[in-house]
Amino acid sequence: MDKVLFLIFAGIAVGAAANLLRSRHPIHSALSLIGVMGALAVLYLLLGAEFIAAVQVIVYAGAIMVLFVFTIMLLNAGAEVPTSGSMLARYLGIPLLALLLLQLVRLLLGQYPPDQASSFGTFVGPTEKIGRLLFTQYLLPFEVTSVLILVAVMGAVVLAGRKP
Amino acid sequence: MASVSTPPPGAKTMVLNMGPQHPSTHGVLRLVLELDGETVVRCEPHIGYLHTGIEKTAEAKGWWQAITLTDRIDYLCPLTNNLCYVLAVEKLLGLEPPPRAQWLRVLLNELTRLNSHLVWLGTHAMDLGAFTVLLYAFREREDILNMFETVSGQRMMTSYFRVGGLALEPPLDFFGRVRKFISYFPSKIDDYEALLTKNRIWIGRTKGVGYISADDGIALGLTGPCLRAVGVDWDLRKTNPYSSYDKFDFKVPVRTEGDVYARYLVRMDEMRESTKIIAQALEGMPEGPVNADAPHIVLPERERMKTEMEALIYHFKIVTEGFRVPPGEVYQAVESPRGQSAYYVVSDGTTHPFRMYVRAPSFANLQALPKMVEGRLIADVVAVVGSIDIVLGEVDR
Amino acid sequence: MDLTILIISLAKIAVVLTVLFTCVAYVVWLERKVAGRIQNRWGPHRTGPFGLLQPAADFLKALFKEDFTPAQVQRPIYFLAPFLAMTLALMSIAVIPFGENVTIAGRTIFFEITDLNIGLLYIFAVTSLGVYGIALAGWSSGSKYSLMGGLRSSAQMISYELGLGFAVVGVLILSGTLSLRGIVNAQSGFWFGIIPKWYIWPQFVGFLVYLTAAFAETNRTPFDLPEAEGELVGGFHTEYSSLKFAMFFTAEYTNMITVACLATLLFFGGWMAPLPWAWVQHVPALVLLGMAALMTRTALRTYRLERRKSYFAVPGLAGIVGLIGLAFLHPVFAAVAAPMFWFASKVFVFLFLYIWVRWSVPRFRYDQLMHLGWKVLLPVAAANILITGLVVAL
Amino acid sequence: MIPDELRNFPEASQLEEQDPSVLAGGQFDRGELTLEVSRAKLEAACRWFRGRGYNLLSSITATDLHPIEPRFRVVYHLYAIAEHKPLRLAVRVGGADPRLESMIPVWPAANWYERELFDLFGIRFDGHPNLKRIMLPDDWEGHPLRKDYPTEGIR
């Protein structure tokens, strides 16, 4: 059952990612990206990481991508016009991509040999554990990140508030 | 109409066509809004979708036939328009209707004012999302319309006033109905105010919105409650009294804020004052005929027409060819619920008006709309249009 | 995975969805009826007794209306949007528990589709996606009014999602779990033997923030700016007709039910009875029998006054209600159904509040809405979290 | 030149004293004061009355006296709000090329009234920023309130 679900949602994730690259319209691309994120969330769920799955949806799909879509709508961006592109990309693109994928597969296989399949349900999932880790072991990075975000927010406010 | 205004290329604004089919334009008003986000940069009203050529039509009608046209000008206060036209013709004729007719005219005009203000209140509140007020207001308006029906046989297009008096003596139970109505109506105004006046959202939506200064208001020809809301105490019923308004004791509500909320408060107070005027009119209603003693102008009663030769001849003459009005021009203004409603009537001595011009208060008030909404949000446009209280039939005529 | 579990799950989903759709239909009916009474008119009363068949009539009408697609729409997304809106609205019901789990004859009956240990997060995840249905509908309609409705709604939902999330953190701190069943179970018991230990008391501020944010999140008056008919004609659904419009409509009312359920679960002790005494268990029976009696009275009076042909419909209805009421007198049935009765009653109160507010107040302006969301609700909610945290820590 | 009966009205007599060529006539009829202004001095007269406190422009309209020339009689209805006093200014315009100065600089309210006159009478207003038809469609032919505009048949 898990395997079937995994295959289905992995397929959706890959398909959506391909569609993201293929689409000419920014809204379609954004929607495909949301699809990828949704599928990834399900994969997390299958791994037993409910919290990460939920956060994936809330933060990425629910907040960040909404802003993306919002911006695209606001700018009223139209479909992209395909350009002829460079010769380099046309003839070297796919071979190079294939090379990259091969390398990745080789690396992954080296890391996790096929006879040692990752098991479901052993992921650091429960909310409590994550909370505990965040506020004990990773307290400093956590706080530093929040300060960083605060600075970013203030910068955004200053930039947005500046009158032309 | 004019072509859709387009912003210069490269502009960061969007042109939004609000209307002529739009729930909040109160008819077929078209506003071309240039928006920067949700902020209105420019507002250009386009009117004329309801132009029916009433002024031209009137030139082909007899003096007394034109009364029915005046109903159609402002369909929310037909009796005010009836009165204004009839007063203009009477002024041309030098005719004074008997006191009972004048008092009845005042009474009916104030009822009309209530009728019009109730529609304004309901639609204005509905535009701002308070739907229930509309149904409350229309409940009371229904009673008023029923009273109009008892006197004139019509709910909206009353055509009840005649040159020299009224069409008929009102039926006997009419005064009882009015008395009953004004006994409970003030408490209904309290109900409306309970829903809106102190409501934080309502205040937030209306206070400080659509501001116009007194100087701008006068310069743009603003009249009526809109002008009184900017602090100009100018009500024709007080300053240039007509139809014995000078014999009534009432206050003219004036506020100085000049925003939508001030207009709202002025109209609410006006409703209370109108109720007082109606009560006084009922109280001191003079006895006597409702028509002037001018047999060549006023149609005789049916009974006399059937029994007296002379009356029959007058009746025949008035109905077939009408009556003649001495040459001249008059500009008769009355205080309609929306402002100064005025009729400019020119006679060349024949049985038809040579020229009838209608000074519609909504037409002038609408000119001030761009001034009130530019630089504000699109939601404020709705609030301001509602607060000006336009009637498109009157704007376009 | 066990096949029976799958079948049971599917069956449960089917049952819950059926009940949910019925509820949505009758919330619409309730809305019209209550609005009618508020505005001194009758509301629907022609179709069936008390207009109870009106939802069916509405559905048929929506079904047979012309499904008009304007020429300027962005096709696939225009069709996708209403489905998205409705599906996402329906999804959140999956983790809502309706009653206490009961064990009968060795088999435990779970009154929910699934008890997720992060139930609350799941609901927030799903509702945060709900904005796409509206935003995409507004964008793909190719109309300026729709676009503005869509934009407003995206901005509004992002803003109030935060307030909503912050508002419930206090509850989470108190209960220490994200599971909705866990949160309800943490609220059992009474203080001083009379005041129920519901989170409404310690979390009153949080509840107010939640309530306000929930109004905004479901686009209800006074926060119905995305569809503010006075300004934007119909907002995001201006260009939709027929069943596609009905889907948005269903989504809106489903969301209403969801947030009402959530408020009941988080702040009002879910299915717990409100009073500690033993006789409280008879209240459901009393209420239902009373309703049956009232209906019978109406039926008799209607028959006497009008001799209407439909006079047996109302007594029939009264009979059904009465029978359910009598069933409550049986202890086993009461044990199963009483929690559901309390849950449903609390949700009903919320829905009524929703409707009441909608027909009483005007609408906010866009900037006022943003002001309220960011400058009032968010700081208040944050302060509430801080204080709750401090109190719990001490 | 104004008739003697108008000498009692300060508006008329003072303006006459200042510039005798402004007023071409006038009357006091049925309690309404009408002052005829000469076509050339219209703007000066309007400015003068605006300065005298006639701050509300109630309306601008016209009458078509068709066969008679000058054909149009344009009337300005003014109010002095402080004194509650009405006043009518009238000016005659010929039919060959009916033109007047726009009074928008004096009373901004004149804007739509002048558009309406242009639309329905075909009187042009020099200096009007937006002299387009206001009631009728832009492609309408003719000016309906003229007396020679056909009232029946196919237009």
Side-chain angles (χ1 to χ4, degrees):
Chain A
M1 191 75 189
D2 281 351
K3 206 161 268 177
V4 176
L5 285 177
F6 171 78
L7 285 176
I8 291 173
F9 282 97
I12 290 176
V14 173
N19 195 49
L20 157 70
L21 295 175
R22 196 196 55 82
S23 303
R24 293 258 171 258
H25 204 290
I27 285 268
H28 295 182
S29 297
L31 284 182
S32 307
L33 191 53
I34 296 161
V36 175
M37 282 160 180
L40 282 185
V42 177
L43 294 184
Y44 284 133
L45 213 56
L46 287 174
L47 288 170
E50 301 98 344
F51 185 76
I52 293 184
V55 167
Q56 164 91 3
V57 174
I58 293 176
V59 174
Y60 282 103
I64 294 180
M65 286 316 292
V66 169
L67 289 179
F68 267 69
V69 171
F70 187 83
T71 314
I72 295 171
M73 276 163 54
L74 203 62
L75 298 177
N76 210 3
E80 292 165 0
V81 185
T83 53
S84 56
S86 67
M87 298 295 274
L88 201 69
R90 186 175 295 177
Y91 296 112
L92 284 181
I94 289 175
L96 279 178
L97 188 71
L99 208 64
L100 181 73
L101 279 177
L102 270 176
Q103 185 66 13
L104 270 176
V105 168
R106 204 178 63 81
L107 267 175
L108 282 174
L109 283 179
Q111 210 83 340
Y112 307 99
D115 56 318
Q116 201 186 316
S118 65
S119 55
F120 295 110
T122 53
F123 214 82
V124 190
T127 327
E128 259 182 74
K129 254 191 223 168
I130 292 173
R132 229 167 267 288
L133 280 178
L134 268 185
F135 282 96
T136 53
Q137 201 174 338
Y138 297 106
L139 184 61
L140 186 69
F142 180 71
E143 289 301 328
V144 168
T145 315
S146 24
V147 169
L148 197 69
I149 292 172
L150 186 68
V151 170
V153 167
M154 281 158 67
V157 167
V158 168
L159 283 179
R162 188 180 291 164
K163 291 270 173 271
Chain B
M1 295 302 101
S3 58
V4 180
S5 320
T6 41
K12 285 181 180 148
T13 53
M14 171 169 107
V15 172
L16 183 73
N17 240 317
M18 198 161 160
Q21 274 86 41
H22 185 281
S24 293
T25 51
H26 295 233
V28 280
L29 170 67
R30 174 171 158 225
L31 298 172
V32 178
L33 301 174
E34 196 181 324
L35 300 176
D36 178 13
E38 290 224 0
T39 312
V40 178
V41 182
R42 214 163 46 80
C43 164
E44 195 184 320
H46 287 244
I47 61 171
Y49 291 91
L50 216 57
H51 182 64
T52 45
I54 284 175
E55 291 173 14
K56 186 75 175 171
T57 314
E59 291 175 12
K61 300 279 178 207
W63 287 104
W64 56 283
Q65 288 171 315
I67 295 173
T68 49
L69 293 173
T70 62
D71 290 321
R72 273 82 185 162
I73 287 171
D74 184 345
Y75 38 78
L76 290 185
C77 54
L79 283 157
T80 315
N81 281 277
N82 288 170
L83 176 70
C84 190
Y85 172 75
V86 162
L87 283 176
V89 179
E90 282 167 0
K91 202 169 175 185
L92 274 172
L93 285 162
L95 190 69
E96 167 109 2
R100 187 173 171 84
Q102 295 195 10
W103 284 60
L104 270 164
R105 284 176 177 184
V106 167
L107 189 149
L108 284 161
N109 257 279
E110 293 310 313
L111 277 177
T112 312
R113 192 178 312 278
L114 292 181
N115 167 25
S116 172
H117 278 4
L118 284 173
V119 175
W120 155 78
L121 175 68
T123 50
H124 185 33
M126 187 174 70
D127 290 344
L128 298 185
F131 190 88
T132 301
V133 182
L134 175 84
L135 284 130
Y136 281 15
F138 270 57
R139 176 185 59 195
E140 271 71 69
R141 178 177 183 250
E142 191 65 22
D143 293 343
I144 298 179
L145 291 185
N146 283 339
M147 284 188 263
F148 288 168
E149 198 179 2
T150 49
V151 289
S152 71
Q154 287 285 331
R155 286 157 59 83
M156 278 179 84
M157 302 305 165
T158 49
S159 306
Y160 181 55
F161 300 152
R162 293 286 184 275
V163 176
L166 307 175
L168 288 164
E169 169 85 21
L172 285 177
D173 67 334
F174 172 68
F175 296 108
R177 281 197 189 202
V178 177
R179 193 162 287 125
K180 193 169 153 226
F181 176 76
I182 56 165
S183 68
Y184 71 72
F185 188 66
S187 70
K188 302 288 181 187
I189 303 180
D190 295 341
D191 284 357
Y192 314 142
E193 292 220 63
L195 275 168
L196 299 174
T197 305
K198 292 210 171 107
N199 187 317
R200 291 289 296 273
I201 304 177
W202 179 260
I203 293 174
R205 284 300 303 273
T206 55
K207 213 163 203 167
V209 171
Y211 171 77
I212 192 162
S213 69
D215 289 342
D216 282 343
I218 295 172
L220 286 167
L222 221 55
T223 49
C226 296
L227 189 64
R228 290 194 282 279
V230 299
V232 181
D233 183 2
W234 196 54
D235 187 321
L236 291 165
R237 292 175 293 175
K238 276 268 188 230
T239 57
N240 306 58
Y242 52 90
S243 195
S244 15
Y245 261 111
D246 45 347
K247 300 200 178 75
F248 290 87
D249 173 34
F250 62 99
K251 281 200 280 293
V252 177
V254 177
R255 300 197 73 85
T256 50
E257 295 90 344
D259 54 9
V260 174
Y261 192 59
R263 278 167 231 150
Y264 161 78
L265 289 176
V266 164
R267 287 204 182 87
M268 293 313 269
D269 288 346
E270 269 184 21
M271 285 208 259
R272 294 184 194 279
E273 292 301 322
S274 288
T275 320
K276 281 186 207 159
I277 299 177
I278 295 171
Q280 290 170 37
L282 276 179
E283 200 94 336
M285 181 65 66
E287 293 298 320
V290 293
N291 272 313
D293 183 22
H296 56 290
I297 291 165
V298 180
L299 279 179
E301 285 165 32
R302 298 294 291 176
E303 194 52 39
R304 285 186 52 219
M305 189 262 282
K306 285 174 184 168
T307 49
E308 291 171 30
M309 191 62 195
E310 228 168 276
L312 182 62
I313 293 172
Y314 276 128
H315 187 274
F316 183 76
K317 282 200 73 161
I318 296 172
V319 171
T320 50
E321 66 164 60
F323 51 84
R324 282 169 200 283
V325 171
E329 55 181 348
V330 295
Y331 190 69
Q332 175 65 47
V334 302
E335 186 72 27
S336 104
R338 266 159 279 287
Q340 186 202 36
S341 183
Y343 279 60
Y344 172 62
V345 184
V346 183
S347 169
D348 58 350
T350 61
T351 54
H352 303 272
F354 183 70
R355 169 95 174 97
M356 179 180 102
Y357 169 76
V358 184
R359 193 269 181 198
S362 299
F363 182 79
N365 292 355
L366 192 57
Q367 274 200 81
L369 177 71
K371 188 105 198 161
M372 294 182 193
V373 300
E374 277 171 8
R376 301 207 61 96
L377 294 174
I378 184 170
D380 291 336
V381 175
V382 174
V384 173
V385 170
S387 77
I388 295 179
D389 188 22
I390 46 167
V391 167
L392 265 299
E394 187 182 57
V395 174
D396 297 343
R397 302 187 294 285
Chain C
M1 198 181 266
D2 199 354
L3 196 66
T4 45
I5 292 179
L6 187 71
I7 290 169
I8 289 175
S9 293
L10 284 178
K12 253 200 284 195
I13 290 172
V15 169
V16 168
L17 278 188
T18 314
V19 172
L20 183 65
F21 275 124
T22 317
C23 285
V24 168
Y26 281 95
V27 172
V28 177
W29 173 84
L30 183 75
E31 165 117 51
R32 295 178 61 177
K33 209 72 182 162
V34 173
R37 289 311 173 99
I38 288 177
Q39 300 169 343
N40 65 95
R41 42 193 185 90
W42 286 104
H45 65 114
R46 292 291 175 93
T47 38
F50 311 112
L52 276 172
L53 293 179
Q54 190 67 35
D58 285 347
F59 176 73
L60 281 178
K61 190 190 87 170
L63 197 65
F64 289 116
K65 277 240 162 156
E66 184 191 358
D67 194 354
F68 183 78
T69 309
Q72 78 279 14
V73 300
Q74 300 275 342
R75 271 180 174 273
I77 297 179
Y78 175 78
F79 290 116
L80 175 72
F83 285 96
L84 208 59
M86 195 169 85
T87 317
L88 289 168
L90 293 178
M91 270 170 76
S92 34
I93 210 73
V95 293
I96 299 219
F98 311 111
E100 217 159 358
N101 291 342
V102 193
T103 310
I104 300 170
R107 248 198 124 80
T108 312
I109 305 174
F110 297 96
F111 280 96
E112 67 202 312
I113 292 176
T114 173
D115 181 10
L116 214 54
N117 60 357
I118 50 153
L120 199 55
L121 275 184
Y122 169 86
I123 285 184
F124 279 116
V126 172
T127 47
S128 71
L129 290 181
V131 64
Y132 284 113
I134 291 171
L136 292 175
W139 176 78
S140 65
S141 292
S143 144
K144 287 169 185 168
Y145 289 115
S146 301
L147 180 67
M148 288 175 76
L151 287 177
R152 278 181 175 191
S153 118
S154 325
Q156 177 180 333
M157 283 179 121
I158 295 170
S159 312
Y160 280 84
E161 188 85 25
L162 274 174
L164 201 67
F166 271 44
V168 302
V169 171
V171 171
L172 295 182
I173 292 174
L174 289 180
S175 69
T177 173
L178 278 168
S179 153
L180 290 167
R181 187 166 291 280
I183 292 173
V184 173
N185 286 332
Q187 298 179 56
S188 59
F190 294 88
W191 283 302
F192 314 118
I194 178 147
I195 304 169
K197 281 187 178 169
W198 296 348
Y199 287 147
I200 172 78
W201 307 117
Q203 283 299 311
F204 191 70
V205 177
F207 171 68
L208 287 184
V209 175
Y210 173 86
L211 194 67
T212 320
F215 270 105
E217 190 72 10
T218 47
N219 295 332
R220 296 278 300 182
T221 313
F223 303 97
D224 61 341
L225 292 145
E227 49 186 297
E229 78 279 347
E231 300 143 37
L232 302 183
V233 191
F236 62 89
H237 57 56
T238 308
E239 308 290 340
Y240 282 91
S241 54
S242 181
L243 265 189
K244 292 209 277 292
F245 172 76
M247 282 184 187
F248 281 118
F249 207 68
T250 315
E252 186 186 326
Y253 281 86
T254 313
N255 281 332
M256 248 172 86
I257 293 179
T258 308
V259 292
C261 289
L262 212 53
T264 309
L265 294 170
L266 296 180
F267 296 99
F268 285 88
W271 51 82
M272 308 277 177
L275 290 168
W277 301 299
W279 54 262
V280 174
Q281 59 177 315
H282 299 303
V283 168
L286 275 175
V287 168
L288 288 171
L289 287 174
M291 271 170 71
L294 274 178
M295 281 181 194
T296 316
R297 184 162 154 266
T298 312
L300 286 175
R301 196 192 266 170
T302 315
Y303 179 61
R304 208 165 46 232
L305 287 177
E306 302 175 23
R307 311 253 158 206
R308 275 239 296 274
K309 281 278 190 302
S310 65
Y311 68 88
F312 57 85
V314 180
L317 209 63
I320 295 170
V321 174
L323 274 180
I324 299 173
L326 285 177
F328 266 98
L329 295 177
H330 190 277
V332 175
F333 184 85
V336 178
M340 285 171 78
F341 173 85
W342 289 118
F343 183 76
S345 317
K346 290 171 189 173
V347 171
F348 173 82
V349 170
F350 271 98
L351 292 174
F352 187 82
L353 181 71
Y354 261 89
I355 295 166
W356 190 2
V357 168
R358 172 164 180 190
W359 298 106
S360 306
V361 296
R363 178 185 303 123
F364 276 112
R365 201 172 59 203
Y366 183 64
D367 57 329
Q368 293 164 346
L369 174 103
M370 286 294 154
H371 183 275
L372 181 69
W374 289 99
K375 296 190 182 161
V376 179
L377 286 189
L378 208 57
V380 169
N384 181 47
I385 293 173
L386 214 62
I387 292 166
T388 313
L390 273 176
V391 170
V392 169
L394 296 175
Chain D
M1 285 301 293
I2 54 169
D4 285 341
E5 53 159 354
L6 295 188
R7 305 249 176 242
N8 300 330
F9 293 94
E11 283 88 359
S13 54
Q14 284 171 13
L15 184 58
E16 179 86 354
E17 258 169 48
Q18 213 168 54
D19 184 354
S21 65
V22 173
L23 291 181
Q27 82 236 26
F28 184 75
D29 179 30
R30 295 173 169 97
E32 295 183 11
L33 178 63
T34 311
L35 295 177
E36 296 262 357
V37 179
S38 70
R39 163 91 173 68
K41 294 286 173 81
L42 175 68
E43 193 173 352
C46 286
R47 283 196 187 281
W48 191 82
F49 282 111
R50 174 73 183 79
R52 286 266 330 194
Y54 286 93
N55 46 2
L56 183 83
L57 174 70
S58 181
S59 64
I60 309 175
T61 187
T63 315
D64 183 11
L65 307 162
H66 178 37
I68 307 167
E69 275 296 333
R71 173 173 178 180
F72 299 108
R73 183 163 182 273
V74 179
V75 290
Y76 293 76
H77 289 108
L78 310 177
Y79 273 87
I81 285 191
E83 302 161 70
H84 318 313
K85 261 197 316 199
L87 174 70
R88 180 186 300 123
L89 297 184
V91 60
R92 297 291 290 262
V93 190
D97 179 25
R99 263 176 197 287
L100 279 176
E101 292 85 42
S102 169
M103 284 306 130
I104 297 178
V106 187
W107 298 286
N111 191 331
W112 282 16
Y113 294 115
E114 289 175 356
R115 278 178 70 187
E116 194 184 353
L117 279 186
F118 164 70
D119 190 356
L120 303 177
F121 281 96
I123 301 170
R124 303 196 148 268
F125 288 88
D126 297 326
H128 193 290
N130 186 25
L131 198 63
K132 290 187 297 188
R133 285 192 183 272
I134 187 166
M135 295 294 177
L136 303 175
D138 279 353
D139 55 356
W140 194 270
E141 279 171 31
H143 303 283
L145 278 182
R146 289 187 175 190
K147 288 285 181 189
D148 53 356
Y149 187 86
T151 46
E152 36 190 79
I154 299 162
R155 182 172 54 87

